[in-house]
Amino acid sequence: MRTADLIMKKRGSPIQPSQSLTEDEIKFLIKGYVDQTIPDYQMSAFLMSVFFNGMTFEETSYLTQAMLHSGDVIDLYKMKDKYPELSGPFVDKHSTGGVGDKISIPLAPVVAACGVQIPMMSGRGLGHTGGTLDKLESIQGYNVNLTQEEFAEIISKTGFAMMGQTPAIAPADKKMYALRDVTGTVESIPLITSSILSKKVAEGSDALVFDIKCGSGAFMKNEKDAEELAAFLVNTAKAMGKKAMALLTRMDTPLGFKTGNYLEIEESIECLQGKGPDDIMELTLALGGRMVYLGGKASSIEEGMELCRKAVESGAALEKFLENVKLQGGNPEKLMAELGTRRSKFTKNLLAENSGYLKIEAYKTGIACINLGVGRNKASDSVDADSGIIFHKRQGDFVNKGDLIMEVFAKDQASLDSGIEGLKSAVSYSQEKFENGKLIIKDIR
């Protein structure tokens, strides 16, 4: 097998259209790239061929499997002898990310309280979208760098664990993503699908629920592209023998009343106390109901959602979360004691400059959050735990000139000044009342 022949097969020509690659051909490419017998320039040509010609669901499943098996795969069932409480099935959720999207943090303990076990491998924020790991690490002592043994043990004790991708998990994905970033091939639905699924399946999940965002603050800006990605994820996961569902959800304005690493932990706890914002609770229950259903603990999605509501109302979900904090190195008593008190000293109120119905654009808000210190422009940047925004008014609210819209917190004065200017550009005022649109746009199974 020659790499150049496979590139030409996928690329096609004026007299020979692009052809699908076989499972063995895709395995050859991925293995060769990981062991460095296939160089970057040939993999770049292959990625560009996929970018322009796409892949079938079958090809995408072959690519995902090859990337998955390029490194370690966590098999939680094999650990049952040591940890009998690992009962399975194991269910996880993935979001394509947005501004204020903290859903994973309240969702995992809610679903765990319903008896489903969740092996959750999360990422860090990059660009305008936040990262679950950064938020969790704002809890003093919380450890996301778990070994496979620690991961399994924590799941067995409290029903869920949250960790980052290790170098041994899907190394092909790490190499290929870095190459896609510099070759202009990031926005390929088969490549996005294989990147997401190779990590999610490697963590040991039997079933997956996807939250695919669309809108100005999302990776996919329009509904058509978001629906195509959702269909690819669901169908490829099913081709790999996994149960899968997806929701298309709106990301035009920030979710919740708080953005920022610690502030989103604080709001997640408020959700677990039954005091969360309507939009966060709506998504948590909708995604949770599907996870409980796929995990076999409910006979329908509606029953799963009701079980999730009861887990919050009874306090069981909050108890699960605090158990997890302790098991992963944090101090739950200290965390609860500092709620409402942890705020950066570099702060300023943003007031309405006009009267009207408020619009708050998600993407510009996310960029302003980077300037405040919440996020990062490149992977090596550090983040500040106590930077962020508390919204006193949200999109669609009527404001009078001079009303308080946001409390803004930053890592230093220069960051505060820069962030405030960015937030001013994210805010506009309409003289006509408008509807925000449904948060959940479509259900894909």
Side-chain angles (χ1 to χ4, degrees):
M1 222 178 279
R2 284 194 338 133
T3 304
D5 293 334
L6 301 183
I7 292 169
M8 288 186 284
K9 182 179 179 181
K10 192 64 199 171
R11 183 203 66 192
S13 70
I15 59 172
Q16 176 65 56
S18 170
Q19 300 175 63
S20 296
L21 299 182
T22 67
E23 184 173 11
D24 285 342
E25 287 169 337
I26 290 174
K27 281 181 180 177
F28 172 82
L29 286 168
I30 298 306
K31 183 179 183 300
Y33 186 52
V34 173
D35 67 21
Q36 300 184 348
T37 58
I38 293 176
D40 280 354
Y41 60 82
Q42 285 189 306
M43 182 53 70
S44 297
F46 169 70
L47 293 173
M48 193 61 75
S49 298
V50 173
F51 182 85
F52 282 112
N53 294 314
M55 279 184 153
T56 64
F57 289 132
E58 190 174 44
E59 279 183 292
T60 306
S61 69
Y62 295 154
L63 178 60
T64 306
Q65 289 279 16
M67 291 168 64
L68 164 68
H69 291 291
S70 67
D72 290 349
V73 177
I74 300 172
D75 190 337
L76 294 168
Y77 288 104
K78 286 185 177 179
M79 299 184 182
K80 284 184 73 171
D81 288 343
K82 189 171 183 180
Y83 306 109
E85 298 84 357
L86 287 174
S87 57
F90 303 102
V91 186
D92 193 11
K93 161 260 184 188
H94 177 81
S95 169
T96 52
V99 182
D101 180 14
K102 58 197 68 74
I103 306 298
S104 290
I105 297 166
L107 178 65
V110 166
V111 176
C114 297
V116 177
Q117 295 184 324
I118 303 119
M120 189 169 281
M121 190 179 293
S122 300
R124 299 192 180 279
L126 186 60
H128 75 282
T129 62
T132 298
L133 298 184
D134 298 319
K135 295 166 191 176
L136 291 169
E137 286 183 335
S138 73
I139 302 171
Q140 188 176 346
Y142 197 99
N143 177 28
V144 298
N145 301 309
L146 304 177
T147 65
Q148 289 192 28
E149 286 284 324
E150 289 168 334
F151 191 55
E153 183 179 8
I154 293 168
I155 295 169
S156 74
K157 287 182 175 178
T158 196
F160 75 100
M162 307 177 95
M163 68 179 286
Q165 182 182 1
T166 70
I169 296 284
D173 174 62
K174 189 172 184 180
K175 284 193 73 177
M176 289 171 67
Y177 191 89
L179 198 58
R180 287 166 57 206
D181 196 36
V182 296
T183 57
T185 54
V186 170
E187 296 92 344
S188 163
I189 284 175
L191 296 178
I192 295 168
T193 298
S194 58
S195 177
I196 291 170
L197 284 179
S198 63
K199 297 189 287 285
K200 285 295 175 185
V201 177
E203 73 190 10
S205 295
D206 298 302
L208 293 161
V209 176
F210 301 101
D211 179 4
I212 309 303
K213 307 288 188 190
C214 66
S216 69
F219 184 67
M220 294 295 179
K221 304 299 182 189
N222 63 70
E223 190 174 328
K224 178 179 176 293
D225 290 343
E227 186 170 351
E228 186 179 353
L229 175 58
F232 244 85
L233 284 164
V234 168
N235 286 305
T236 304
K238 288 179 178 178
M240 296 176 71
K242 309 297 178 183
K243 296 178 181 178
M245 294 181 174
L247 290 178
L248 257 62
T249 66
R250 197 173 303 282
M251 177 41 67
D252 289 315
T253 194
L255 287 168
F257 285 98
K258 296 177 181 179
T259 65
N261 295 308
Y262 169 73
L263 286 173
E264 292 189 47
I265 292 290
E266 191 173 80
E267 188 162 70
S268 296
I269 293 171
E270 292 166 0
C271 291
L272 294 171
Q273 293 172 324
K275 302 184 294 186
D278 290 345
D279 53 356
I280 302 294
M281 295 308 300
E282 181 181 354
L283 281 184
T284 299
L285 294 173
L287 293 164
R290 285 158 176 78
M291 291 174 73
V292 174
Y293 170 67
L294 291 179
K297 301 298 182 182
S299 59
S300 67
I301 292 171
E302 292 71 24
E303 183 186 350
M305 291 175 67
E306 184 58 29
L307 289 172
C308 289
R309 286 189 194 93
K310 289 178 179 177
V312 173
E313 290 170 1
S314 69
L318 178 60
E319 185 178 342
K320 285 283 184 188
F321 177 72
L322 296 177
E323 284 175 5
N324 171 267
V325 168
K326 187 172 184 178
L327 288 169
Q328 294 202 216
N331 183 329
E333 292 79 16
K334 181 179 180 183
L335 175 62
M336 295 302 289
E338 67 186 9
L339 294 178
T341 66
R342 266 184 65 179
R343 304 288 187 264
S344 170
K345 66 179 181 180
F346 299 100
T347 181
K348 186 173 181 178
N349 290 340
L350 182 67
L351 307 180
E353 295 182 343
N354 293 293
S355 297
Y357 293 96
L358 192 63
K359 292 186 177 181
I360 304 175
E361 205 269 328
Y363 177 75
K364 290 181 180 178
T365 303
I367 295 299
C369 283
I370 296 174
N371 294 333
L372 292 171
V374 173
R376 49 173 68 82
N377 285 304
K378 57 183 186 295
S380 59
D381 290 348
S382 61
V383 297
D384 181 63
D386 296 335
S387 299
I389 304 165
I390 299 175
F391 296 91
H392 288 260
K393 300 288 184 180
R394 300 179 71 202
Q395 180 155 294
D397 290 346
F398 184 84
V399 296
N400 291 302
K401 185 176 180 179
D403 283 353
L404 174 62
I405 298 176
M406 310 173 195
E407 291 179 80
V408 184
F409 305 91
K411 64 181 179 181
D412 54 42
Q413 188 60 47
S415 299
L416 181 63
D417 294 341
S418 175
I420 285 286
E421 288 306 307
L423 289 170
K424 287 179 179 178
S425 74
V427 171
S428 60
Y429 309 85
S430 170
Q431 297 311 304
E432 300 294 328
K433 191 172 183 179
F434 60 90
E435 297 295 329
N436 282 318
K438 290 183 177 180
L439 182 60
I440 298 174
I441 301 167
K442 202 162 191 176
D443 189 347
I444 295 174
R445 305 183 194 182

